[in-house]
Amino acid sequence: MSGATAVGPAGGAAPGRDRPLTMSGISKSFGPVRALTDADLELATGEVHGLVGGNGAGKTTLMNVLYGLYRADSGEIRVDGREVHIRSPRDAIALGIGMVHQHLLQVSSYTVLENVVLGTSAGSGGLRGAARRITELSDRFGLAVDPRARTDRLSVGARQRVEILKVLYRGARVLVLDEPTTNLTPQEVDGLFASLRGIVAEGTSVVFISHKAREVLAICDRISVMRDGRRIATVLRSATDATGLASLMVGELVGEQTSEVAAALGVGAVGEVPAAPPAEQRRPDAGRVRLAVSGVTADNDHGVPALRGLGLEVRAGEVVGVAGVAGNGQVELAEVLAGVRPVRAGSVAVDGTDLAGAPTRRWLSTGVAYVPEDRHRDGILGAGTVADNLLLGAQRRADNRRAGLIDWRRVREHARDTIERYSIKTPGPDAMAGNLSGGNIQRLVLARAFDREPAVLVLQNPTRGLDLRSTRFVYDRVHEARDRGCAVVLISEDLDELSLLADRMVVLYSGEVVGERARGDYDVYELGRLMAGVREDA
Amino acid sequence: MSAPVLTDTDAPAPATERPAVRLLRGLLPYVLALVLAFAVSGVVIAALGYDVVEAYRTIVTTSFRTGFGFTETLTKWVPLTLLALGFTIPLAVGRFNIGGEGQLLVGATAAAGVGIVYADLPTAVLLPLVVLAGVLSGAVWAGIAAFLMGRFRVNEILSTVLLNFVSFQVLDYAATEVWSDPAAGVAATQRVGEGAELPVLGGPPGVHAGILLALLVAAVTTVVTRRTAAGFELRAAGANPRAAAINGIRVEKVAVVALVVGGALGGLAGALEVGGVHGRAIEGMQSNFLLLGIIIGLIARGSALWVPVVAFGIAILEVGASSMQRTVGVPAEMVLIIEALILIFLLLSDVIAGRLARRVT
């Protein structure tokens, strides 16, 4: 607690002396990993309390302890000043604590109504009474959703509203939201924030977990910063700004680095054109077209068309961002561009060679490198060594072989060299890749991609789940690829990331490109409308 | 047992521990599983009213006491090793070849057929032909399952098992209709020509030269899986098919080839049994090699380097078992129980080691 800026509750709201929730001295280890060390948190009535920190800072773990998903090794939780023991979500719910997870857990074939009442006793009015209460709650807090709609027909934003309604329906007085803005359009984010204001105005307290300083500054009354499993500081919204928050989150970084990290955090992109383009004012149209996609149609895993006549051109030294709400064909586009998913129609030309229909090996040899979204599932051989993983895809290349056999000595040598250049934290080339942290796995995947000297680099959500240092590392590599004359396609659900990196942005909706904007020539609301499927001419 | 590990435990090690310590640590669960399996089986044997010490003494020493015992052990080792490898190679890509006995029988039938039809050819010509016929027919037999798997996604476990039943009929047809030998007393083909018989090494009694081929196959398999691009692709496709495909490996093609190669080894085993042991194809010659091959492959954890070693141990148990039945009266099937227990305790040790590792760190 030393050095922490302990501050009282937000001035205006003046919730008095009551403390709906205090957590103190919470420690939690997973095997050798200390996730929480003497962490604490204090909520005031009727505030939105931001809980920020980089990945692995312990935000979600702390809240999972609160919600009874993890049992803390030590520590104390008090609700309304009374010490409580929370052993399961059931206990938490009974104490008026509700949580909305990043991944929504719903029965998709149920209606909204059924999902909300699931796990509760229907109460006096039966289902009809429940429906009335849901409608009443959703009107009161602006959480527009039809109780009779089937959950799987709803957008991600609507499904999140269902989860919030569920928590409110159970009469929660503490609402925990874990990274709630992931996958929301800017408009939906605004709607969510308005609802949260209404919710806290009635005396409920909200914990808002985020790693984005900008959002936290937009909605929270007080902000607690976590780092390395501890609460480092709690600050009043009115007493801080983006840079201040970023430096608290990052801690040891200073000066110029902090501002770059702040940019990475999405600071300063509040509904306006983000950070200025790089100093050298590159002209993206100067390069030749390296990647030309036209009329591409492809199915998803269930045989349903996911891309419908998609066209895209990327030039040498250009980063093209693909924005969109998850599930609009991003995965399929990434896999088509990587030569993994077959196309039904259309062409994908790299440096003038049409690769549609060619085996993946030819795409690789033509210079396509792919950094998949799910790096554990698609990126690495978890049971293989680091050296195995760096060799993967290049096992038939002449320089890796001698007398027809794989030259393991050279491969290991090369791996050692790569580990050093990419600062991969691992005991060595023979360590199991599956034991690396997410950031180090991503470094490994990037190293492999760059080893191929790509003409086209395709990345999908390349910084998801990474800490700041690794995020920055990824951004630097993207810049490096661009500067080498590579054509970069960055598919991301993070508008801030896209704004920061992309020279040009296209919006993917329902498998089509529905809009295109040059850098600096858009605001995020405009993109949000496109992402939500509102046509240009509408 | 989960998917086979990509890098075998005995692959060149990181210099964190001394190799000897690592080896001992790696062997410990095997030793424990072995001891426990014998202990539990001992209780059963005692409960059945037999002399445990005498039974075990017979099992362990038969192979080494007489030349005949040792020869028999080595002779058994050949098909066991080949069928185990025929199981572990497709297993490396996560496919299960449960058709080893069918591949063996079809290989034996084809080998016997060639050996009978061209009985007059000299050894230098006929013997390679016989072996080749076995290998090819085994490959084709597994190839049926591989084709169905690659083309129509037919589960290879089902197709290889079902093809076993078909292979019984194939051999039956050959042994009763085409090349039947009424004088044999059992359903069997006629004897192959002398040129189809494998030379005998050492002895008497001596071991047929097929043992050299089996050793060669085991060595080549080890080198191929560890040192060649094809072997790397095999292991990568097994370790993570999605990541392998994204990195240009045609996983389905690799799986098809692996299954065909596995079948070829089964066919080779059949040809060697014909040319080296029986001199003909006999109904029932598949014995329980398929089951034992799978047990060996699993105990060896898919490692081509360890398969021959484990196969040797199992061969000792098998040869000792029949001797035990003769001298002590304990049913030979008891040994199958011991083998199964070894495997079960070994699998349990994985679970326990995992729990311990979590608790200690």
Side-chain angles (χ1 to χ4, degrees):
Chain A
M1 283 280 296
S2 60
T5 330
V7 191
R17 205 156 260 113
D18 59 336
R19 287 279 172 269
L21 176 72
T22 27
M23 301 176 80
S24 54
I26 308 284
S27 295
K28 173 74 186 168
S29 299
F30 298 98
V33 183
R34 301 211 71 172
L36 293 173
T37 312
D38 202 17
D40 58 358
L41 187 71
E42 195 172 272
L43 275 191
T45 304
E47 69 166 345
V48 179
H49 194 114
L51 193 55
V52 300
N55 252 287
K59 307 170 302 239
T60 302
T61 311
L62 184 63
M63 288 302 105
N64 281 342
V65 166
L66 175 64
Y67 196 55
L69 290 169
Y70 297 149
R71 198 85 65 85
D73 300 334
S74 61
E76 185 186 86
I77 303 175
R78 287 176 180 274
V79 173
D80 293 328
R82 198 163 45 85
E83 185 170 359
V84 294
H85 296 282
I86 300 172
R87 291 185 185 82
S88 70
R90 187 174 284 273
D91 293 349
I93 291 164
L95 289 165
I97 298 163
M99 184 161 175
V100 175
H101 293 271
Q102 203 170 347
H103 303 286
L104 305 173
L105 310 165
Q106 289 162 338
V107 183
S108 56
S109 61
Y110 278 18
T111 63
V112 168
L113 172 62
E114 288 165 334
N115 265 304
V116 170
V117 301
L118 188 66
T120 67
S121 50
S124 54
L127 269 188
R128 195 169 309 157
R132 221 174 305 122
R133 263 211 64 210
I134 293 168
T135 314
E136 187 252 321
L137 283 170
S138 72
D139 286 349
R140 180 139 54 109
F141 298 119
L143 297 162
V145 64
D146 174 7
R148 283 171 301 274
R150 257 180 69 143
T151 313
D152 54 2
R153 307 260 159 80
L154 299 177
S155 71
V156 178
R159 292 179 55 180
Q160 185 182 65
R161 293 198 286 277
V162 173
E163 283 299 281
I164 296 174
L165 277 172
K166 187 170 166 177
V167 172
L168 296 174
Y169 178 84
R170 291 170 170 187
R173 298 174 45 241
V174 174
L175 167 62
V176 181
L177 299 167
D178 188 1
E179 303 272 359
T181 59
T182 318
N183 291 329
L184 297 190
T185 65
Q187 284 84 347
E188 286 175 317
V189 171
D190 285 354
L192 172 69
F193 286 2
S195 298
L196 291 183
R197 275 286 142 228
I199 290 167
V200 294
E202 302 211 352
T204 301
S205 304
V206 171
V207 178
F208 185 95
I209 304 180
S210 179
H211 66 280
K212 292 191 174 180
R214 170 172 66 80
E215 287 176 350
V216 171
L217 289 169
I219 180 68
C220 297
D221 301 310
R222 287 194 304 160
I223 301 158
S224 289
V225 180
M226 291 192 72
R227 202 201 306 152
D228 299 331
R230 289 171 211 273
R231 186 180 61 88
I232 294 297
T234 297
V235 291
L236 278 175
R237 162 65 186 98
S238 51
T240 187
D241 62 6
T243 322
L245 210 51
S247 47
L248 276 176
M249 285 166 70
V250 182
E252 64 271 44
L253 293 185
V254 284
E256 191 194 351
Q257 272 185 311
T258 310
S259 67
E260 267 190 59
V261 170
L265 287 167
V267 170
V270 193
E272 64 198 63
V273 179
E280 69 271 16
Q281 276 298 335
R282 292 161 305 103
R283 297 196 316 280
D285 45 306
R288 65 188 192 285
V289 174
R290 296 204 85 169
L291 173 69
V293 182
S294 82
V296 161
T297 302
D299 293 347
N300 66 11
D301 288 339
H302 309 292
V304 179
L307 298 177
R308 307 155 201 268
L310 183 136
L312 186 68
E313 274 192 358
V314 188
R315 294 170 179 277
E318 187 186 24
V319 179
V320 170
V322 178
V325 176
N328 276 290
Q330 284 93 335
V331 177
E332 290 79 9
L333 175 61
E335 291 183 356
V336 161
L337 294 183
V340 180
R341 183 173 291 273
V343 297
R344 278 201 173 281
S347 67
V348 181
V350 173
D351 288 336
T353 318
D354 184 8
L355 291 172
T360 312
R361 185 169 287 168
R362 263 204 57 214
W363 291 67
L364 294 176
S365 62
T366 313
V368 177
Y370 172 40
V371 177
E373 170 179 47
D374 189 334
R375 40 190 170 264
H376 280 275
R377 192 189 64 181
D378 294 350
I380 59 157
L381 311 170
T385 65
V386 171
D388 283 335
N389 275 284
L390 288 170
L391 176 67
L392 184 60
Q395 69 273 11
R396 287 185 187 270
R397 223 167 56 190
D399 57 343
N400 285 326
R401 306 218 283 174
R402 208 177 51 189
L405 300 178
I406 292 174
D407 186 353
W408 281 109
R409 182 198 294 264
R410 206 206 91 91
V411 170
R412 279 209 182 79
E413 204 57 55
H414 181 68
R416 253 188 288 277
D417 179 52
T418 307
I419 288 168
E420 187 156 327
R421 277 190 301 127
Y422 282 78
S423 327
I424 301 172
K425 266 191 216 142
T426 172
D430 296 310
M432 258 231 300
N435 290 343
L436 301 184
S437 72
N440 283 305
I441 288 176
Q442 194 69 325
R443 282 163 197 256
L444 194 157
V445 171
L446 281 167
R448 186 168 64 206
F450 275 89
D451 195 37
R452 292 169 186 165
E453 298 183 350
V456 173
L457 177 63
V458 180
L459 308 103
Q460 189 180 10
N461 291 323
T463 60
R464 173 176 287 178
L466 298 190
D467 60 23
L468 295 173
R469 225 178 277 281
S470 295
T471 298
R472 214 182 137 223
F473 183 85
V474 172
Y475 291 173
D476 287 347
R477 296 285 82 71
V478 169
H479 286 142
E480 187 189 324
R482 179 199 66 198
D483 296 343
R484 278 197 206 165
C486 185
V488 181
V489 180
L490 174 66
I491 302 169
S492 177
E493 280 142 34
D494 187 339
L495 274 183
D496 298 324
E497 179 168 288
L498 289 169
S499 302
L500 190 74
L501 293 176
D503 298 309
R504 193 152 59 85
M505 189 107 81
V506 298
V507 177
L508 195 62
Y509 177 76
S510 192
E512 285 176 82
V513 171
V514 292
E516 181 177 332
R517 294 287 183 276
R519 185 185 192 89
D521 188 25
Y522 57 83
D523 67 52
V524 287
Y525 288 96
E526 196 182 347
L527 288 178
R529 278 192 296 279
L530 292 170
M531 285 158 65
V534 180
R535 286 276 165 184
E536 292 269 66
D537 42 25
Chain B
M1 170 150 299
S2 56
V5 288
L6 186 73
T7 306
D8 299 324
T9 43
D10 42 16
T16 46
E17 255 177 64
R18 273 207 311 232
V21 179
R22 260 175 60 88
L23 185 69
L24 279 181
R25 192 193 285 264
L27 283 179
L28 185 66
Y30 289 84
V31 174
L32 280 179
L34 204 63
V35 170
L36 277 174
F38 271 95
V40 172
S41 308
V43 172
V44 177
I45 292 173
L48 290 172
Y50 300 107
D51 182 347
V52 180
V53 177
E54 186 58 25
Y56 282 172
R57 208 177 56 79
T58 315
I59 287 183
V60 177
T61 58
T62 303
S63 297
F64 304 101
R65 222 169 22 194
T66 65
F68 281 100
F70 197 64
T71 302
E72 212 186 330
T73 305
L74 290 182
T75 307
K76 267 226 155 73
W77 175 85
V78 173
L80 288 181
T81 298
L82 290 174
L83 285 201
L85 290 173
F87 174 71
T88 57
I89 290 171
L91 184 67
V93 232
R95 309 298 159 109
F96 290 82
N97 174 20
I98 315 294
E101 64 185 11
Q103 293 140 18
L104 180 144
L105 289 181
V106 171
T109 308
V114 169
I116 294 163
V117 173
Y118 302 105
D120 300 334
L121 288 177
T123 303
V125 182
L126 186 53
L127 191 54
L129 278 182
V130 164
V131 170
L132 200 64
V135 169
L136 286 181
S137 53
V140 167
W141 203 245
I144 298 171
F147 172 77
L148 293 173
M149 175 181 80
R151 189 66 181 273
F152 303 110
R153 299 187 176 278
V154 173
N155 184 305
E156 79 287 353
I157 301 178
L158 292 177
S159 55
T160 50
V161 165
L162 293 175
L163 281 168
N164 287 343
F165 296 112
V166 182
S167 74
F168 300 156
Q169 304 307 315
V170 171
L171 174 55
D172 188 60
Y173 180 70
T176 57
E177 303 286 333
V178 188
W179 301 299
S180 76
D181 182 1
V186 291
T189 65
Q190 301 153 24
R191 280 201 73 88
V192 293
E194 261 179 42
E197 286 177 15
L198 284 156
V200 174
L201 309 172
V207 185
H208 66 80
I211 193 172
L212 296 180
L213 266 180
L215 271 176
L216 184 69
V217 165
V220 168
T221 307
T222 302
V223 171
V224 166
T225 46
R226 292 187 183 196
R227 298 292 309 269
T228 67
F232 181 80
E233 288 167 5
L234 177 83
R235 293 185 290 139
N240 184 349
R242 288 187 60 103
I246 282 169
N247 286 285
I249 295 169
R250 298 171 110 164
V251 174
E252 209 49 46
K253 196 178 126 191
V254 170
V256 164
V257 171
L259 192 50
V260 169
V261 169
L265 297 189
L268 174 63
L272 297 184
E273 287 290 287
V274 169
V277 181
H278 306 294
R280 57 175 97 214
I282 307 173
E283 286 190 31
M285 66 186 285
Q286 75 274 15
S287 181
N288 56 355
F289 294 153
L290 167 65
L291 177 63
L292 294 177
I294 292 172
I295 290 179
I296 291 163
L298 292 178
I299 292 179
R301 293 170 195 256
S303 160
L305 190 67
W306 283 103
V307 159
V309 179
V310 178
F312 187 65
I314 296 291
I316 292 172
L317 293 183
E318 286 291 313
V319 170
S322 40
S323 171
M324 171 181 75
Q325 182 163 21
R326 262 177 280 130
T327 58
V328 191
V330 179
E333 284 72 21
M334 197 62 222
V335 154
L336 207 56
I337 295 179
I338 297 179
E339 288 155 356
L341 283 174
I342 295 173
L343 183 58
I344 288 172
F345 285 127
L346 200 57
L347 298 184
L348 269 179
S349 81
D350 287 348
V351 179
I352 293 165
R355 293 249 168 101
L356 277 181
R358 239 173 298 156
R359 187 155 313 166
V360 168
T361 45

